[in-house]
Amino acid sequence: MTERGDIGNYQPLTYFQLMEVSLRELLVEKGVVSEQAVNDAVEDMRRRGPETGARVVAKAWVDADFKRLLLDNGTRACEAMGIDVPALKLVVVENTPQVHNVIVCTLCSCYPRMLLGIPPDWYKSRNYRSRVVREPRSVLAEFGLRVADDVAIRVHDSTADMRYLVLPMRPAGTEGWDEARLASVVTRDCMIGVAVPRSPRSTKP
Amino acid sequence: MQKVAAAAGGQYPTRYPAVAVRFAPGDRVRVRDSAPLGHIRTPFYIRGHVGVIERYCGAFPNPEELAQMRDGLPAQPLYRVRFLQRDVWADYPGPREDTIDIEIFQHWLERT
């Protein structure tokens, strides 16, 4: 029994839902996994959210040695922070005044879940996946992000074993902030690359 | 399996027996323009295009083999390859510095 779609929803199961239920029930019936283990795995994934990625970014903003390690080997850097990132092979790409990075998985929906949690629906949509590789500037503009023509856009298509995280630029007006406060301006979308952290001065209406 | 060279190094070195690494960062490579059936991690839109090796990531079991319930060994070297958007899309309207970086397995790449 799962929570999914059980509130007043009497639609027949789709092909893939039926396959998932059948496979899961078979695995339980044959003693390969228990219902408890399945629920624990789902809960573990639900607990993960972009706050973890934001902590990593904030640390890179204040600690140059950590930032060097993060760009060289993202997995080792996360482990050094005590973050549990099983099986994650993390490539961190840095935004600079000359380069803006944005992440997509055109083939499916590869995403650094260990650091950002479950991806948003738009990240998995055919619209985003097919368009951001072909017309990244218009897609970013639809997110409200206009990238100047003298800034190169680097799209990263996550097609195989690596997972990607954007290291955004630290916004002006955050001088002297501690890591926890810095992390509060780092949103999920900033780490996918469809937004940039707002400077505290620019959040005024 | 003993004959295959172990691919040392890479950003995320693995302990699988692996095919020898053929490319280095900066090498110009062309993506094979081929359309085999199966579970292929090379997107259609990049097949046939020329890019530059950005980095070697390590060697990983071949996903095309894994999808057939085989072990995927020897592991295939995996690279990040950088392409100019204008080379990929003839009508790309943005600056010529705009790029797309894609992970591509070695058996999909040939030297130009």
Side-chain angles (χ1 to χ4, degrees):
Chain A
M1 181 68 198
T2 64
E3 298 173 27
R4 170 193 22 81
D6 288 336
I7 304 169
N9 179 357
Y10 301 105
Q11 300 296 317
L13 292 175
T14 65
Y15 175 85
F16 288 107
Q17 284 172 331
L18 188 61
M19 188 195 280
E20 184 271 324
V21 172
S22 313
L23 181 64
R24 174 162 44 81
E25 290 186 347
L26 264 174
L27 288 170
V28 170
E29 201 176 299
K30 292 188 179 296
V32 178
V33 294
S34 64
E35 290 279 15
Q36 185 64 46
V38 173
N39 280 335
D40 287 351
V42 171
E43 278 312 305
D44 178 60
M45 199 44 71
R46 280 211 180 133
R47 261 196 308 274
R48 293 179 188 270
E51 304 76 24
T52 312
R55 276 173 49 215
V56 174
V57 168
K59 186 168 177 63
W61 282 346
V62 299
D63 180 341
D65 287 338
F66 177 79
K67 177 176 155 182
R68 214 169 297 124
L69 175 62
L70 185 67
L71 294 174
D72 179 56
N73 187 315
T75 305
R76 280 227 315 274
C78 290
E79 286 165 351
M81 277 184 78
I83 299 170
D84 177 33
V85 286
L88 174 68
K89 292 179 181 61
L90 183 68
V91 173
V92 176
V93 288
E94 184 186 17
N95 283 353
T96 68
Q98 290 81 38
V99 175
H100 179 85
N101 295 281
V102 58
I103 314 299
V104 63
C105 171
T106 57
L107 297 177
C108 44
S109 57
C110 297
Y111 188 74
R113 289 172 182 237
M114 297 298 154
L115 296 175
L116 299 185
I118 294 168
D121 285 346
W122 59 257
Y123 185 83
K124 300 183 274 187
S125 71
R126 193 165 289 263
N127 185 318
Y128 178 75
R129 286 159 47 216
S130 60
R131 291 181 55 228
V132 80
V133 282
R134 204 187 188 309
E135 39 171 332
R137 286 174 188 269
S138 0
V139 172
L140 293 180
E142 289 166 25
F143 278 98
L145 181 63
R146 288 185 195 283
V147 178
D149 275 354
D150 59 352
V151 176
I153 292 195
R154 199 162 281 165
V155 179
H156 301 269
D157 190 355
S158 177
T159 48
D161 292 70
M162 304 293 128
R163 296 292 177 268
Y164 295 87
L165 188 83
V166 174
L167 174 59
M169 285 189 287
R170 178 173 173 167
T174 58
E175 295 76 14
W177 287 22
D178 65 16
E179 282 180 44
R181 194 166 173 210
L182 284 170
S184 71
V185 300
V186 185
T187 63
R188 174 196 71 198
D189 289 3
C190 297
M191 293 179 279
I192 302 174
V194 297
V196 294
R198 296 238 189 111
S199 163
R201 272 174 286 186
S202 68
T203 53
K204 289 181 194 135
Chain B
M1 210 68 91
Q2 282 79 12
K3 285 183 192 164
V4 298
Q11 191 167 27
Y12 296 99
T14 50
R15 268 172 253 106
Y16 307 108
V19 174
V21 171
R22 285 184 58 209
F23 304 113
D27 286 355
R28 277 169 62 82
V29 287
R30 182 185 299 277
V31 184
R32 275 172 45 213
D33 193 2
S34 148
L37 294 175
H39 178 74
I40 311 291
R41 303 301 302 183
T42 306
F44 270 96
Y45 72 84
I46 211 65
R47 297 185 194 177
H49 287 284
V50 173
V52 172
I53 301 282
E54 190 263 343
R55 74 179 78 172
Y56 168 55
C57 303
F60 298 90
N62 183 348
E64 296 158 28
E65 295 290 311
L66 291 177
Q68 302 291 325
M69 309 296 284
R70 293 190 282 261
D71 64 9
L73 300 177
Q76 279 290 341
L78 179 69
Y79 304 89
R80 278 163 45 77
V81 186
R82 180 164 295 167
F83 302 86
L84 288 175
Q85 289 279 24
R86 287 196 175 178
D87 289 345
V88 180
W89 317 106
D91 58 351
Y92 186 76
R96 64 166 295 104
E97 289 75 22
D98 286 5
T99 60
I100 174 136
D101 291 18
I102 310 184
E103 285 158 59
I104 302 180
F105 283 97
Q106 180 168 281
H107 65 291
W108 274 90
L109 297 173
E110 49 203 32
R111 208 175 289 277
T112 59

